[in-house]
Amino acid sequence: MTDQVQFVQPVELTPDAVTLLRFGAVTRNAHRIHYDTEFARSEGLAGPVVMAQLHGCLFHRAAAEFVGPGGRVREVSWQNRAPAYAGDRLVVTGEVRSVDPARGEITLDLVERCGPEGVVCCRGHAVVIPPQDGDVVPL
């Protein structure tokens, strides 16, 4: 490996209220803070909040796009740091933390920022396995 830092290309999503409602339905997350503005405000939030699983999906997508076709995402982990709301622009970026040639794995440090100020709303990591010689690469 070279001494140059390898970056993860940004992955972006701006989930609106409908996206949150549909994602909650698919993941069976019916908590009202994700779709009911008045209820979310009664809980001290500025509005409906993005669910943790959606943050995880964005981390997975960033890792999968980094490793490319035929690569695998072996692990994704994250912690929520601040709420993200419906309408916030979410951007996941990152960089390579380490490469383990013996295991054929790359560990990525990932961060998700939200809103116009770019507040860090999640931090985490992913472990990816690049495609090996002989792997079938999907078209």
Side-chain angles (χ1 to χ4, degrees):
M1 180 175 170
T2 67
D3 290 336
Q4 287 187 320
V5 176
Q6 281 187 280
F7 293 100
V8 175
Q9 293 298 309
V11 167
E12 298 182 21
L13 177 71
T14 304
D16 60 14
V18 173
T19 301
L20 295 182
L21 181 66
R22 289 178 176 165
F23 190 84
V26 169
T27 59
R28 298 181 182 211
N29 184 345
H31 199 293
R32 292 173 63 186
I33 62 172
H34 301 301
Y35 65 88
D36 184 332
T37 301
E38 292 306 315
F39 182 80
R41 288 183 178 152
S42 76
E43 294 290 312
L45 300 162
V49 293
V50 175
M51 52 286 281
Q53 297 88 347
L54 185 54
H55 296 298
C57 285
L58 290 176
F59 273 42
H60 186 279
R61 194 169 113 200
E65 289 184 10
F66 175 84
V67 76
R72 292 171 281 173
V73 178
R74 187 177 68 76
E75 178 181 318
V76 174
S77 176
W78 74 95
Q79 291 183 329
N80 295 346
R81 301 295 176 130
Y85 297 100
D88 279 348
R89 179 175 167 249
L90 308 175
V91 181
V92 176
T93 59
E95 63 184 45
V96 172
R97 176 197 310 166
S98 64
V99 177
D100 183 343
R103 296 178 63 121
E105 297 177 345
I106 300 170
T107 300
L108 309 172
D109 284 328
L110 300 171
V111 62
E112 182 183 71
R113 296 179 185 279
C114 65
E117 290 85 30
V119 172
V120 173
C121 55
C122 294
R123 286 192 182 276
H125 79 274
V127 177
V128 298
I129 303 171
Q132 306 297 311
D133 289 340
D135 283 354
V136 175
V137 177
L139 298 176

